[in-house]
Short mmCIF file of all heavy atoms in Angstrom, two decimals:
data_model
loop_
_atom_site.label_atom_id
_atom_site.label_comp_id
_atom_site.label_asym_id
_atom_site.label_seq_id
_atom_site.Cartn_x
_atom_site.Cartn_y
_atom_site.Cartn_z
N MET A 1 -11.17 -59.08 87.91
CA MET A 1 -11.15 -57.82 87.16
C MET A 1 -10.36 -56.76 87.93
O MET A 1 -10.37 -56.75 89.15
CB MET A 1 -12.58 -57.32 86.92
CG MET A 1 -12.65 -56.23 85.87
SD MET A 1 -14.25 -55.42 85.84
CE MET A 1 -15.13 -56.52 84.75
N LYS A 2 -9.69 -55.94 87.18
CA LYS A 2 -8.85 -54.92 87.80
C LYS A 2 -9.69 -53.89 88.55
O LYS A 2 -10.75 -53.49 88.09
CB LYS A 2 -8.02 -54.24 86.72
CG LYS A 2 -6.84 -53.51 87.29
CD LYS A 2 -5.82 -53.14 86.22
CE LYS A 2 -4.64 -52.50 86.91
NZ LYS A 2 -4.24 -51.23 86.38
N LYS A 3 -9.19 -53.48 89.71
CA LYS A 3 -9.88 -52.45 90.51
C LYS A 3 -9.04 -51.19 90.56
O LYS A 3 -7.82 -51.25 90.52
CB LYS A 3 -10.10 -52.97 91.93
CG LYS A 3 -11.07 -54.12 92.01
CD LYS A 3 -12.49 -53.61 92.08
CE LYS A 3 -13.47 -54.74 92.35
NZ LYS A 3 -14.86 -54.28 92.30
N PHE A 4 -9.73 -50.09 90.66
CA PHE A 4 -9.05 -48.80 90.76
C PHE A 4 -9.53 -48.10 92.02
O PHE A 4 -10.71 -48.14 92.35
CB PHE A 4 -9.37 -47.94 89.54
CG PHE A 4 -8.95 -48.56 88.25
CD1 PHE A 4 -9.79 -49.44 87.60
CD2 PHE A 4 -7.71 -48.29 87.71
CE1 PHE A 4 -9.41 -50.04 86.40
CE2 PHE A 4 -7.32 -48.88 86.52
CZ PHE A 4 -8.16 -49.76 85.86
N LYS A 5 -8.61 -47.45 92.69
CA LYS A 5 -8.96 -46.74 93.92
C LYS A 5 -9.11 -45.24 93.66
O LYS A 5 -8.33 -44.65 92.92
CB LYS A 5 -7.88 -46.96 94.98
CG LYS A 5 -8.01 -48.33 95.62
CD LYS A 5 -7.35 -48.37 96.98
CE LYS A 5 -7.59 -49.73 97.63
NZ LYS A 5 -6.41 -50.42 98.00
N ILE A 6 -10.12 -44.69 94.27
CA ILE A 6 -10.36 -43.25 94.14
C ILE A 6 -9.89 -42.56 95.41
O ILE A 6 -10.20 -43.00 96.51
CB ILE A 6 -11.86 -42.96 93.93
CG1 ILE A 6 -12.29 -43.50 92.56
CG2 ILE A 6 -12.13 -41.47 94.03
CD1 ILE A 6 -13.78 -43.43 92.34
N LYS A 7 -9.18 -41.47 95.22
CA LYS A 7 -8.83 -40.63 96.36
C LYS A 7 -9.58 -39.31 96.20
O LYS A 7 -9.52 -38.67 95.14
CB LYS A 7 -7.32 -40.36 96.40
CG LYS A 7 -6.56 -41.52 96.99
CD LYS A 7 -5.25 -41.06 97.61
CE LYS A 7 -4.65 -42.15 98.48
NZ LYS A 7 -3.23 -41.92 98.70
N PHE A 8 -10.27 -38.92 97.23
CA PHE A 8 -11.07 -37.70 97.19
C PHE A 8 -10.63 -36.79 98.32
O PHE A 8 -10.64 -37.19 99.49
CB PHE A 8 -12.56 -38.06 97.31
CG PHE A 8 -13.44 -36.85 97.44
CD1 PHE A 8 -13.32 -35.78 96.57
CD2 PHE A 8 -14.40 -36.79 98.44
CE1 PHE A 8 -14.14 -34.66 96.70
CE2 PHE A 8 -15.22 -35.68 98.57
CZ PHE A 8 -15.09 -34.61 97.70
N ASP A 9 -10.26 -35.57 97.97
CA ASP A 9 -9.84 -34.59 98.97
C ASP A 9 -11.00 -33.63 99.22
O ASP A 9 -11.21 -32.66 98.49
CB ASP A 9 -8.60 -33.84 98.47
CG ASP A 9 -7.97 -32.99 99.57
OD1 ASP A 9 -8.67 -32.69 100.57
OD2 ASP A 9 -6.79 -32.64 99.44
N ARG A 10 -11.77 -33.93 100.26
CA ARG A 10 -12.97 -33.14 100.56
C ARG A 10 -12.63 -31.70 100.96
O ARG A 10 -13.42 -30.78 100.73
CB ARG A 10 -13.76 -33.83 101.69
CG ARG A 10 -15.20 -33.40 101.73
CD ARG A 10 -16.01 -34.18 102.75
NE ARG A 10 -17.44 -34.04 102.53
CZ ARG A 10 -18.13 -32.99 102.91
NH1 ARG A 10 -17.57 -32.00 103.53
NH2 ARG A 10 -19.44 -32.92 102.64
N GLU A 11 -11.47 -31.52 101.56
CA GLU A 11 -11.05 -30.17 101.96
C GLU A 11 -10.88 -29.26 100.76
O GLU A 11 -11.20 -28.08 100.79
CB GLU A 11 -9.71 -30.25 102.72
CG GLU A 11 -9.79 -30.90 104.08
CD GLU A 11 -10.73 -30.15 105.02
OE1 GLU A 11 -10.54 -28.94 105.18
OE2 GLU A 11 -11.66 -30.78 105.56
N VAL A 12 -10.39 -29.84 99.67
CA VAL A 12 -10.08 -29.08 98.47
C VAL A 12 -11.34 -28.83 97.63
O VAL A 12 -11.45 -27.82 96.94
CB VAL A 12 -9.01 -29.85 97.65
CG1 VAL A 12 -8.84 -29.29 96.26
CG2 VAL A 12 -7.67 -29.83 98.39
N CYS A 13 -12.30 -29.73 97.71
CA CYS A 13 -13.53 -29.64 96.91
C CYS A 13 -14.25 -28.32 97.17
O CYS A 13 -14.41 -27.91 98.31
CB CYS A 13 -14.44 -30.82 97.27
SG CYS A 13 -16.09 -30.72 96.56
N ILE A 14 -14.68 -27.66 96.09
CA ILE A 14 -15.40 -26.39 96.22
C ILE A 14 -16.91 -26.56 95.98
O ILE A 14 -17.65 -25.58 95.92
CB ILE A 14 -14.83 -25.32 95.26
CG1 ILE A 14 -14.87 -25.80 93.81
CG2 ILE A 14 -13.43 -24.92 95.68
CD1 ILE A 14 -14.55 -24.72 92.77
N GLY A 15 -17.34 -27.79 95.80
CA GLY A 15 -18.77 -28.07 95.67
C GLY A 15 -19.40 -27.57 94.38
O GLY A 15 -20.61 -27.31 94.35
N CYS A 16 -18.64 -27.51 93.31
CA CYS A 16 -19.17 -26.99 92.04
C CYS A 16 -20.15 -27.95 91.37
O CYS A 16 -20.88 -27.58 90.47
CB CYS A 16 -18.03 -26.65 91.10
SG CYS A 16 -17.17 -28.11 90.46
N GLN A 17 -20.12 -29.21 91.78
CA GLN A 17 -21.02 -30.26 91.27
C GLN A 17 -20.74 -30.70 89.83
O GLN A 17 -21.54 -31.41 89.22
CB GLN A 17 -22.50 -29.85 91.39
CG GLN A 17 -22.94 -29.46 92.80
CD GLN A 17 -22.86 -30.60 93.80
OE1 GLN A 17 -23.16 -31.74 93.49
NE2 GLN A 17 -22.45 -30.30 95.01
N ALA A 18 -19.62 -30.29 89.28
CA ALA A 18 -19.28 -30.70 87.91
C ALA A 18 -19.16 -32.22 87.82
O ALA A 18 -19.63 -32.85 86.87
CB ALA A 18 -17.99 -30.04 87.47
N CYS A 19 -18.55 -32.83 88.82
CA CYS A 19 -18.36 -34.29 88.81
C CYS A 19 -19.69 -35.03 88.81
O CYS A 19 -19.84 -36.04 88.13
CB CYS A 19 -17.50 -34.72 90.00
SG CYS A 19 -18.13 -34.16 91.60
N THR A 20 -20.68 -34.50 89.55
CA THR A 20 -21.97 -35.19 89.62
C THR A 20 -22.70 -35.14 88.28
O THR A 20 -23.55 -35.97 88.01
CB THR A 20 -22.88 -34.57 90.71
OG1 THR A 20 -23.16 -33.22 90.39
CG2 THR A 20 -22.24 -34.66 92.08
N SER A 21 -22.35 -34.17 87.45
CA SER A 21 -23.01 -34.06 86.15
C SER A 21 -22.44 -35.04 85.11
O SER A 21 -23.08 -35.32 84.11
CB SER A 21 -22.93 -32.63 85.62
OG SER A 21 -21.62 -32.32 85.24
N VAL A 22 -21.24 -35.56 85.35
CA VAL A 22 -20.63 -36.47 84.37
C VAL A 22 -20.52 -37.92 84.86
O VAL A 22 -20.25 -38.82 84.07
CB VAL A 22 -19.23 -35.99 83.91
CG1 VAL A 22 -19.34 -34.65 83.19
CG2 VAL A 22 -18.25 -35.91 85.06
N CYS A 23 -20.72 -38.15 86.15
CA CYS A 23 -20.51 -39.50 86.68
C CYS A 23 -21.46 -39.78 87.84
O CYS A 23 -21.48 -39.02 88.81
CB CYS A 23 -19.06 -39.64 87.14
SG CYS A 23 -18.71 -41.28 87.81
N ASP A 24 -22.21 -40.86 87.73
CA ASP A 24 -23.20 -41.13 88.78
C ASP A 24 -22.60 -41.77 90.03
O ASP A 24 -23.31 -42.06 90.98
CB ASP A 24 -24.40 -41.93 88.25
CG ASP A 24 -24.01 -43.32 87.75
OD1 ASP A 24 -22.84 -43.73 87.96
OD2 ASP A 24 -24.87 -43.99 87.17
N ASN A 25 -21.28 -41.97 90.04
CA ASN A 25 -20.63 -42.39 91.28
C ASN A 25 -20.51 -41.21 92.25
O ASN A 25 -20.24 -41.40 93.43
CB ASN A 25 -19.24 -42.98 91.00
CG ASN A 25 -18.60 -43.59 92.25
OD1 ASN A 25 -19.28 -44.22 93.06
ND2 ASN A 25 -17.30 -43.38 92.40
N TRP A 26 -20.72 -39.98 91.76
CA TRP A 26 -20.54 -38.79 92.57
C TRP A 26 -21.88 -38.17 92.89
O TRP A 26 -22.66 -37.89 91.99
CB TRP A 26 -19.60 -37.81 91.86
CG TRP A 26 -18.24 -38.39 91.78
CD1 TRP A 26 -17.76 -39.21 90.80
CD2 TRP A 26 -17.20 -38.29 92.75
NE1 TRP A 26 -16.48 -39.62 91.12
CE2 TRP A 26 -16.11 -39.07 92.30
CE3 TRP A 26 -17.07 -37.61 93.97
CZ2 TRP A 26 -14.93 -39.19 93.02
CZ3 TRP A 26 -15.89 -37.72 94.69
CH2 TRP A 26 -14.83 -38.51 94.21
N ILE A 27 -22.12 -38.00 94.18
CA ILE A 27 -23.41 -37.47 94.60
C ILE A 27 -23.22 -36.29 95.56
O ILE A 27 -22.19 -36.18 96.23
CB ILE A 27 -24.28 -38.55 95.30
CG1 ILE A 27 -23.51 -39.20 96.46
CG2 ILE A 27 -24.73 -39.62 94.31
CD1 ILE A 27 -24.37 -40.14 97.30
N ARG A 28 -24.23 -35.42 95.58
CA ARG A 28 -24.18 -34.27 96.47
C ARG A 28 -24.12 -34.73 97.92
O ARG A 28 -24.79 -35.68 98.31
CB ARG A 28 -25.41 -33.39 96.22
CG ARG A 28 -25.42 -32.13 97.06
CD ARG A 28 -26.69 -31.34 96.81
NE ARG A 28 -26.70 -30.71 95.49
CZ ARG A 28 -26.20 -29.51 95.22
NH1 ARG A 28 -25.64 -28.81 96.19
NH2 ARG A 28 -26.27 -29.01 94.01
N ASP A 29 -23.31 -34.03 98.71
CA ASP A 29 -23.21 -34.33 100.14
C ASP A 29 -23.09 -32.99 100.87
O ASP A 29 -22.01 -32.42 100.97
CB ASP A 29 -21.99 -35.22 100.41
CG ASP A 29 -21.85 -35.56 101.89
OD1 ASP A 29 -22.87 -35.75 102.57
OD2 ASP A 29 -20.70 -35.62 102.37
N GLY A 30 -24.21 -32.47 101.32
CA GLY A 30 -24.20 -31.14 101.93
C GLY A 30 -23.82 -30.12 100.87
O GLY A 30 -24.37 -30.11 99.78
N ASP A 31 -22.84 -29.28 101.18
CA ASP A 31 -22.40 -28.28 100.19
C ASP A 31 -21.24 -28.81 99.34
O ASP A 31 -20.66 -28.06 98.55
CB ASP A 31 -22.02 -26.96 100.89
CG ASP A 31 -20.88 -27.14 101.89
OD1 ASP A 31 -20.48 -28.30 102.17
OD2 ASP A 31 -20.38 -26.11 102.39
N LYS A 32 -20.93 -30.09 99.51
CA LYS A 32 -19.85 -30.69 98.70
C LYS A 32 -20.38 -31.94 98.02
O LYS A 32 -21.56 -32.02 97.69
CB LYS A 32 -18.64 -30.98 99.58
CG LYS A 32 -18.08 -29.67 100.19
CD LYS A 32 -16.67 -29.78 100.64
CE LYS A 32 -16.18 -28.42 101.14
NZ LYS A 32 -14.79 -28.44 101.54
N VAL A 33 -19.52 -32.91 97.77
CA VAL A 33 -19.94 -34.16 97.13
C VAL A 33 -19.26 -35.32 97.85
O VAL A 33 -18.36 -35.12 98.66
CB VAL A 33 -19.55 -34.20 95.63
CG1 VAL A 33 -20.27 -33.14 94.85
CG2 VAL A 33 -18.04 -34.10 95.45
N LYS A 34 -19.70 -36.52 97.51
CA LYS A 34 -18.97 -37.71 97.97
C LYS A 34 -19.13 -38.79 96.91
O LYS A 34 -20.13 -38.81 96.17
CB LYS A 34 -19.47 -38.18 99.33
CG LYS A 34 -20.90 -38.67 99.33
CD LYS A 34 -21.29 -39.16 100.71
CE LYS A 34 -22.76 -39.57 100.73
NZ LYS A 34 -23.25 -39.87 102.07
N PRO A 35 -18.16 -39.70 96.87
CA PRO A 35 -18.29 -40.82 95.95
C PRO A 35 -19.11 -41.93 96.60
O PRO A 35 -18.99 -42.16 97.80
CB PRO A 35 -16.84 -41.26 95.73
CG PRO A 35 -16.14 -40.88 96.98
CD PRO A 35 -16.87 -39.71 97.58
N LYS A 36 -19.96 -42.60 95.85
CA LYS A 36 -20.68 -43.75 96.38
C LYS A 36 -19.68 -44.85 96.69
O LYS A 36 -19.81 -45.57 97.68
CB LYS A 36 -21.69 -44.26 95.35
CG LYS A 36 -22.88 -43.34 95.13
CD LYS A 36 -23.88 -44.07 94.23
CE LYS A 36 -24.69 -43.10 93.39
NZ LYS A 36 -25.31 -43.74 92.22
N LYS A 37 -18.70 -45.01 95.81
CA LYS A 37 -17.69 -46.06 95.99
C LYS A 37 -16.30 -45.47 95.85
O LYS A 37 -16.05 -44.63 94.99
CB LYS A 37 -17.85 -47.14 94.90
CG LYS A 37 -19.12 -47.92 94.99
CD LYS A 37 -19.02 -49.17 94.14
CE LYS A 37 -19.54 -48.92 92.76
NZ LYS A 37 -19.54 -50.12 91.92
N LEU A 38 -15.38 -45.95 96.69
CA LEU A 38 -13.99 -45.52 96.60
C LEU A 38 -13.14 -46.53 95.84
O LEU A 38 -11.97 -46.31 95.59
CB LEU A 38 -13.41 -45.30 98.00
CG LEU A 38 -13.76 -43.95 98.65
CD1 LEU A 38 -13.34 -43.94 100.10
CD2 LEU A 38 -13.14 -42.79 97.90
N GLU A 39 -13.77 -47.67 95.52
CA GLU A 39 -13.07 -48.66 94.72
C GLU A 39 -13.97 -49.00 93.53
O GLU A 39 -15.11 -49.40 93.72
CB GLU A 39 -12.77 -49.91 95.55
CG GLU A 39 -11.70 -50.77 94.89
CD GLU A 39 -11.26 -51.92 95.79
OE1 GLU A 39 -10.34 -51.72 96.59
OE2 GLU A 39 -11.85 -53.00 95.70
N ILE A 40 -13.45 -48.82 92.34
CA ILE A 40 -14.28 -49.01 91.15
C ILE A 40 -13.65 -50.04 90.22
O ILE A 40 -12.45 -50.29 90.25
CB ILE A 40 -14.46 -47.67 90.38
CG1 ILE A 40 -13.10 -47.02 90.04
CG2 ILE A 40 -15.34 -46.71 91.17
CD1 ILE A 40 -13.17 -45.91 89.03
N SER A 41 -14.50 -50.62 89.40
CA SER A 41 -14.01 -51.60 88.44
C SER A 41 -13.71 -50.91 87.12
O SER A 41 -14.02 -49.72 86.93
CB SER A 41 -15.04 -52.70 88.26
OG SER A 41 -16.25 -52.13 87.82
N GLU A 42 -13.16 -51.67 86.21
CA GLU A 42 -12.70 -51.11 84.95
C GLU A 42 -13.83 -50.45 84.15
O GLU A 42 -13.65 -49.42 83.51
CB GLU A 42 -12.04 -52.22 84.11
CG GLU A 42 -11.05 -51.67 83.12
CD GLU A 42 -9.94 -52.68 82.83
OE1 GLU A 42 -9.98 -53.81 83.36
OE2 GLU A 42 -9.05 -52.32 82.05
N ASN A 43 -15.02 -51.03 84.21
CA ASN A 43 -16.12 -50.45 83.44
C ASN A 43 -16.70 -49.17 84.06
O ASN A 43 -17.51 -48.49 83.45
CB ASN A 43 -17.23 -51.48 83.15
CG ASN A 43 -17.79 -52.10 84.41
OD1 ASN A 43 -17.40 -51.73 85.51
ND2 ASN A 43 -18.71 -53.03 84.25
N GLU A 44 -16.27 -48.87 85.28
CA GLU A 44 -16.68 -47.60 85.90
C GLU A 44 -15.59 -46.54 85.77
O GLU A 44 -15.76 -45.40 86.20
CB GLU A 44 -16.97 -47.83 87.39
CG GLU A 44 -18.13 -48.78 87.63
CD GLU A 44 -18.18 -49.28 89.07
OE1 GLU A 44 -17.15 -49.76 89.59
OE2 GLU A 44 -19.25 -49.20 89.67
N LEU A 45 -14.49 -46.95 85.17
CA LEU A 45 -13.32 -46.06 85.11
C LEU A 45 -13.57 -44.84 84.23
O LEU A 45 -13.22 -43.72 84.59
CB LEU A 45 -12.11 -46.85 84.59
CG LEU A 45 -10.79 -46.09 84.50
CD1 LEU A 45 -10.36 -45.58 85.88
CD2 LEU A 45 -9.70 -46.97 83.91
N LYS A 46 -14.20 -45.04 83.07
CA LYS A 46 -14.34 -43.96 82.09
C LYS A 46 -15.06 -42.73 82.69
O LYS A 46 -14.57 -41.62 82.62
CB LYS A 46 -15.09 -44.47 80.86
CG LYS A 46 -15.06 -43.52 79.70
CD LYS A 46 -15.59 -44.19 78.42
CE LYS A 46 -15.63 -43.22 77.26
NZ LYS A 46 -16.87 -42.44 77.23
N SER A 47 -16.22 -42.98 83.30
CA SER A 47 -16.99 -41.85 83.83
C SER A 47 -16.30 -41.22 85.05
O SER A 47 -16.34 -40.00 85.22
CB SER A 47 -18.42 -42.26 84.16
OG SER A 47 -18.43 -43.25 85.16
N ASN A 48 -15.65 -42.06 85.86
CA ASN A 48 -14.92 -41.49 87.00
C ASN A 48 -13.70 -40.71 86.55
O ASN A 48 -13.30 -39.74 87.17
CB ASN A 48 -14.53 -42.60 87.98
CG ASN A 48 -15.68 -42.98 88.90
OD1 ASN A 48 -15.96 -42.30 89.90
ND2 ASN A 48 -16.39 -44.03 88.55
N LYS A 49 -13.12 -41.15 85.43
CA LYS A 49 -11.99 -40.41 84.86
C LYS A 49 -12.48 -39.05 84.36
O LYS A 49 -11.79 -38.04 84.49
CB LYS A 49 -11.41 -41.22 83.70
CG LYS A 49 -10.13 -40.69 83.12
CD LYS A 49 -8.92 -41.19 83.89
CE LYS A 49 -7.62 -40.65 83.31
NZ LYS A 49 -7.48 -39.19 83.44
N GLU A 50 -13.68 -39.03 83.79
CA GLU A 50 -14.27 -37.76 83.36
C GLU A 50 -14.46 -36.83 84.55
O GLU A 50 -14.21 -35.62 84.46
CB GLU A 50 -15.63 -37.99 82.68
CG GLU A 50 -15.52 -38.36 81.21
CD GLU A 50 -16.89 -38.66 80.61
OE1 GLU A 50 -17.84 -37.91 80.87
OE2 GLU A 50 -16.99 -39.66 79.87
N ALA A 51 -14.91 -37.39 85.67
CA ALA A 51 -15.08 -36.60 86.89
C ALA A 51 -13.72 -36.05 87.35
O ALA A 51 -13.60 -34.88 87.71
CB ALA A 51 -15.71 -37.45 87.99
N GLU A 52 -12.71 -36.91 87.30
CA GLU A 52 -11.35 -36.48 87.67
C GLU A 52 -10.89 -35.33 86.76
O GLU A 52 -10.36 -34.33 87.22
CB GLU A 52 -10.38 -37.67 87.54
CG GLU A 52 -8.95 -37.34 87.91
CD GLU A 52 -8.00 -38.52 87.63
OE1 GLU A 52 -8.10 -39.14 86.56
OE2 GLU A 52 -7.15 -38.80 88.49
N ASP A 53 -11.14 -35.48 85.47
CA ASP A 53 -10.67 -34.49 84.50
C ASP A 53 -11.43 -33.16 84.61
O ASP A 53 -10.86 -32.09 84.39
CB ASP A 53 -10.82 -35.03 83.07
CG ASP A 53 -9.83 -36.14 82.78
OD1 ASP A 53 -8.84 -36.27 83.54
OD2 ASP A 53 -10.03 -36.87 81.80
N ILE A 54 -12.73 -33.24 84.93
CA ILE A 54 -13.54 -32.02 84.93
C ILE A 54 -13.38 -31.22 86.23
O ILE A 54 -13.66 -30.02 86.26
CB ILE A 54 -15.04 -32.36 84.68
CG1 ILE A 54 -15.76 -31.18 84.05
CG2 ILE A 54 -15.73 -32.83 85.95
CD1 ILE A 54 -17.17 -31.50 83.55
N CYS A 55 -12.91 -31.87 87.28
CA CYS A 55 -12.79 -31.18 88.57
C CYS A 55 -11.78 -30.03 88.46
O CYS A 55 -10.62 -30.24 88.14
CB CYS A 55 -12.34 -32.16 89.66
SG CYS A 55 -12.16 -31.35 91.27
N PRO A 56 -12.24 -28.81 88.76
CA PRO A 56 -11.36 -27.64 88.59
C PRO A 56 -10.26 -27.52 89.63
O PRO A 56 -9.31 -26.76 89.44
CB PRO A 56 -12.33 -26.45 88.68
CG PRO A 56 -13.46 -26.95 89.51
CD PRO A 56 -13.59 -28.42 89.20
N VAL A 57 -10.38 -28.26 90.74
CA VAL A 57 -9.38 -28.13 91.80
C VAL A 57 -8.63 -29.44 92.08
O VAL A 57 -7.94 -29.57 93.09
CB VAL A 57 -10.05 -27.62 93.11
CG1 VAL A 57 -10.53 -26.19 92.94
CG2 VAL A 57 -11.18 -28.53 93.55
N ASN A 58 -8.80 -30.41 91.17
CA ASN A 58 -8.11 -31.70 91.30
C ASN A 58 -8.35 -32.40 92.64
O ASN A 58 -7.43 -32.94 93.25
CB ASN A 58 -6.61 -31.54 91.07
CG ASN A 58 -6.29 -31.06 89.67
OD1 ASN A 58 -6.90 -31.52 88.70
ND2 ASN A 58 -5.37 -30.13 89.54
N ALA A 59 -9.61 -32.36 93.08
CA ALA A 59 -9.94 -33.03 94.34
C ALA A 59 -10.11 -34.53 94.16
O ALA A 59 -10.12 -35.28 95.13
CB ALA A 59 -11.23 -32.43 94.91
N ILE A 60 -10.26 -34.97 92.89
CA ILE A 60 -10.48 -36.38 92.60
C ILE A 60 -9.25 -36.96 91.93
O ILE A 60 -8.76 -36.41 90.93
CB ILE A 60 -11.71 -36.56 91.66
CG1 ILE A 60 -12.96 -35.99 92.32
CG2 ILE A 60 -11.88 -38.03 91.27
CD1 ILE A 60 -14.16 -35.90 91.38
N LYS A 61 -8.77 -38.06 92.49
CA LYS A 61 -7.63 -38.74 91.86
C LYS A 61 -7.91 -40.22 91.80
O LYS A 61 -8.32 -40.82 92.78
CB LYS A 61 -6.34 -38.47 92.63
CG LYS A 61 -5.96 -37.00 92.61
CD LYS A 61 -4.47 -36.77 92.71
CE LYS A 61 -4.11 -35.32 92.43
NZ LYS A 61 -4.56 -34.41 93.52
N ILE A 62 -7.67 -40.79 90.63
CA ILE A 62 -7.85 -42.23 90.47
C ILE A 62 -6.49 -42.87 90.39
O ILE A 62 -5.65 -42.48 89.58
CB ILE A 62 -8.68 -42.53 89.21
CG1 ILE A 62 -10.05 -41.86 89.32
CG2 ILE A 62 -8.84 -44.05 89.04
CD1 ILE A 62 -10.85 -41.87 88.05
N GLU A 63 -6.28 -43.85 91.26
CA GLU A 63 -4.99 -44.54 91.30
C GLU A 63 -5.03 -45.77 90.41
O GLU A 63 -5.98 -46.55 90.47
CB GLU A 63 -4.66 -44.96 92.73
CG GLU A 63 -4.47 -43.79 93.64
CD GLU A 63 -4.04 -44.21 95.04
OE1 GLU A 63 -4.29 -45.36 95.43
OE2 GLU A 63 -3.46 -43.37 95.73
N LYS A 64 -3.97 -45.93 89.63
CA LYS A 64 -3.93 -47.08 88.72
C LYS A 64 -2.89 -48.06 89.18
O LYS A 64 -2.07 -47.79 89.99
CB LYS A 64 -3.66 -46.60 87.31
CG LYS A 64 -4.89 -45.90 86.81
CD LYS A 64 -4.65 -45.11 85.55
CE LYS A 64 -5.85 -44.22 85.31
NZ LYS A 64 -5.52 -42.84 85.24
S1 SF4 B 1 -15.84 -31.35 90.44
FE1 SF4 B 1 -14.33 -31.29 92.08
S2 SF4 B 1 -14.69 -29.38 93.15
FE2 SF4 B 1 -16.50 -29.78 91.90
S3 SF4 B 1 -17.89 -30.85 93.32
FE3 SF4 B 1 -16.73 -32.42 92.21
S4 SF4 B 1 -14.97 -32.88 93.53
FE4 SF4 B 1 -15.84 -30.96 94.23
#
């Protein structure tokens, strides 16, 4: 199955928690967040894409 890589820029993240509200791969980490997994399968793509789209500072990028 195809895998997708997530790139997360913690420096850019402002800790708004929007990603954690749309995708359970994203969890609170101190005053910011972290992904549980940096490599996701196709069936995890939709919710992680939502996290990518909702992030106001583009800290989340999914590589295809
Ligand atoms: S949506 Fe973006 S800025 Fe907000 S907590 Fe998630 S990664 Fe950080």
Side-chain angles (χ1 to χ4, degrees):
M1 194 192 274
K2 198 165 184 231
K3 293 275 188 185
F4 300 86
K5 283 202 176 124
I6 292 172
K7 280 206 166 161
F8 173 50
D9 191 341
R10 201 174 196 280
E11 291 300 307
V12 168
C13 171
I14 56 170
C16 70
Q17 305 296 322
C19 54
T20 62
S21 71
V22 297
C23 180
D24 63 8
N25 187 39
W26 293 87
I27 54 173
R28 182 183 289 272
D29 180 36
D31 60 352
K32 298 200 176 183
V33 296
K34 65 178 176 188
K36 290 188 209 160
K37 293 195 269 184
L38 280 170
E39 197 173 271
I40 55 166
S41 58
E42 205 151 2
N43 57 3
E44 297 165 309
L45 182 61
K46 191 169 177 274
S47 62
N48 279 280
K49 188 86 180 65
E50 277 176 44
E52 180 186 44
D53 289 343
I54 206 170
C55 179
V57 293
N58 298 318
I60 300 170
K61 296 209 170 70
I62 301 169
E63 296 184 337
K64 289 167 192 122

